[in-house]
Amino acid sequence: MRGKHVLIGVTGGIAAYKVGTLIRELVKSGAEVKVMMTEAGARFVSPLTFSALSKNPVLTDLWSSNQSSDSDISTQHIDLANWADVLVIAPASANTIAKLACGISDNLLTIVSLATSRPVILAPTMDAEMYLHEVTQKNLATLSERGYFIVPPAEGELASGLKGPGRLPEIKILTDTIENILTHADRDLIKKRILVTAGPTYEAIDPVRFIGNRSSGKMGFAIARAAAQRGAEVTLIAGPVALETPRNVKRIDVESAQEMLSAVLRYSKKTDAVIMAAAVADFTPAHPAKQKIKKQPGVHSLDLPLKATPDILAALGCSKRNTILAGFALETTDGLSGAKEKLRKKNIDLIVLNSFNKQNRVFGSHENTVTIIDKRGDVERLPKLPKFEVANKILDKIRDLL
Ligand code: CTP
């Protein structure tokens, strides 16, 4: 952690008193620590305590200019956002989580969170009922999709006397998470050009109907977001999905497999790696109707001739030179050998096998259980992880191959 800049945001919660230990551990491991507190946070612990432990002024007020010696009042939030290598919000209250989820920035902590492009770690800490409430869970899911790292609270006795999830995790868990994330925040993909595809494709039956699939696009978007955070120049070719474009990512929207092929061929010319996370339809209606197909009286069935779509990954594999190619496989039977066969047949460097079973819903979920197989035959089985962490594991492999 030597020389790393850790910015800690403290919101209102009884667990604020434990942040002192976190600061001490971080300082001991060589990090430089700055603390900012919300007004509610500063009611639980005096800023003076954290200032003494971090050996830096503690920032509480957006409008006060004398807190940080070398910053002007109008730019101190930007200076702080740029100073940080990582932002850790602990304890993160339900209120601050809700504000972050919808972009409200009405105090220094929420403004800096919005202004930073560095990784943000959240340690939600509150009463169990508040933590488990649908709206808090929905806000956390939104933030997790946006690339925030959520460290789940520990279970146990809470300040209210109730038992359940809501306690600040052990300090060791927080410091391990910070260290782990900082190793991925080294911008190790700087100057690398990475093309990612995501989401389903829609194959038109007529102007209003289509053949599609259940892909949500979350895995591909997580890869694009993680790669951009690690410094890569990212182009994301997205099928029809309702997801926010990650920061610093160039997004091209397409609909059909044919459109995706054209976009991939156009944008993959000068790329270092192509990651095909899209669930491209294998078949498309052979003769899409120009007008909406009407029901005919007395007709009880419809024949819909289909033709195969172009295999984009195989096409890239055919003309492969120095670009690293990665694909995904979703198998319901004999996963490993099917994925290895796909890797060989499509002439690619890496394949990510999605486990498709009752325990791993894959589609629409924030988490995924995958196995990464490379062309040397190395097989890495990962436990169930948030898709953003899976994305970083895949990018670790790509970086090693580049
Ligand atoms: N893929 C592609 N173009 C297609 C179909 C798939 O580029 N027309 C890519 C996907 O993005 C994925 C990989 O190929 O990265 C594997 O897709 P999958 O559908 O599992 O494999 P298929 O080769 O289509 O074989 P099957 O459907 O028989 O399992």
Side-chain angles (χ1 to χ4, degrees), residues 49-350:
T49 310
F50 294 154
S51 173
L53 290 167
S54 66
K55 300 186 177 62
N56 271 314
V58 169
L59 305 157
T60 51
D61 183 3
L62 179 61
W63 304 111
S64 155
S65 61
N66 59 1
Q67 302 179 25
S68 169
S69 52
D70 48 5
S71 262
D72 184 76
I73 184 168
S74 58
T75 57
Q76 75 173 3
H77 57 292
I78 303 293
D79 295 341
L80 258 185
N82 290 338
W83 175 85
D85 290 316
V86 64
L87 167 59
V88 187
I89 305 182
S93 66
N95 184 38
T96 292
I97 289 167
K99 285 183 189 176
L100 296 177
C102 51
I104 293 174
S105 42
D106 61 351
N107 59 32
L108 186 67
L109 190 151
T110 46
I111 289 177
V112 172
S113 306
L114 209 57
T116 190
S117 59
R118 311 307 296 145
V120 181
I121 302 172
L122 285 183
T125 308
M126 64 198 77
D127 194 62
E129 297 296 339
M130 291 171 78
Y131 174 69
L132 295 171
H133 196 287
E134 303 89 288
V135 75
T136 306
Q137 289 302 312
K138 189 163 175 278
N139 289 334
L140 287 170
T142 302
L143 293 171
S144 159
E145 245 169 59
R146 223 175 267 158
Y148 283 55
F149 295 86
I150 318 283
V151 189
E155 295 211 14
E157 195 158 327
L158 303 165
S160 61
L162 293 172
K163 282 196 173 143
R167 292 167 63 91
L168 191 75
E170 277 175 36
I171 299 302
K172 171 90 172 75
I173 294 181
L174 290 177
T175 50
D176 282 355
T177 308
I178 296 167
E179 212 173 319
N180 196 357
I181 286 164
L182 279 172
T183 51
H184 284 135
D186 273 346
R187 299 179 76 73
D188 54 357
L189 295 175
I190 220 147
K191 295 218 169 84
K192 299 292 176 205
R193 280 168 301 206
I194 298 188
L195 179 84
V196 184
T197 65
T201 62
Y202 283 0
E203 308 300 323
I205 296 171
D206 67 20
V208 292
R209 303 181 179 99
F210 59 85
I211 298 176
N213 60 63
R214 296 183 199 278
S215 167
S216 66
K218 285 179 182 166
M219 191 62 243
F221 273 61
I223 295 171
R225 175 174 286 114
Q229 233 174 49
R230 290 166 72 161
E233 277 174 41
V234 183
T235 305
L236 172 63
I237 297 176
V241 291
L243 294 173
E244 296 167 23
T245 309
R247 193 189 279 222
N248 297 327
V249 165
K250 175 175 171 171
R251 173 175 177 171
I252 316 290
D253 285 311
V254 297
E255 202 167 283
S256 62
Q258 186 60 46
E259 282 176 24
M260 189 169 276
L261 172 72
S262 309
V264 168
L265 293 181
R266 175 157 177 221
Y267 289 97
S268 63
K269 287 204 178 85
K270 286 186 185 152
T271 45
D272 297 296
V274 177
I275 307 171
M276 285 288 305
V280 187
D282 285 332
F283 292 94
T284 188
H287 312 289
K290 293 225 161 44
Q291 306 299 334
K292 189 177 166 215
I293 300 171
K294 291 279 194 192
K295 281 197 295 285
Q296 302 294 338
V299 177
H300 300 294
S301 67
L302 173 73
D303 286 333
L304 194 63
L306 302 176
K307 63 175 186 191
T309 57
D311 191 319
I312 305 169
L313 195 51
L316 294 175
C318 253
S319 54
K320 184 170 164 19
R321 286 201 181 154
N322 296 325
T323 310
I324 300 297
L325 298 179
F328 274 70
L330 180 77
E331 309 279 347
T332 47
T333 53
D334 197 14
L336 203 54
S337 62
K340 282 183 179 167
E341 177 62 11
K342 229 166 254 182
L343 179 120
R344 197 188 54 75
K345 250 183 20 202
K346 298 197 187 197
N347 189 31
I348 59 176
D349 302 279
L350 201 80

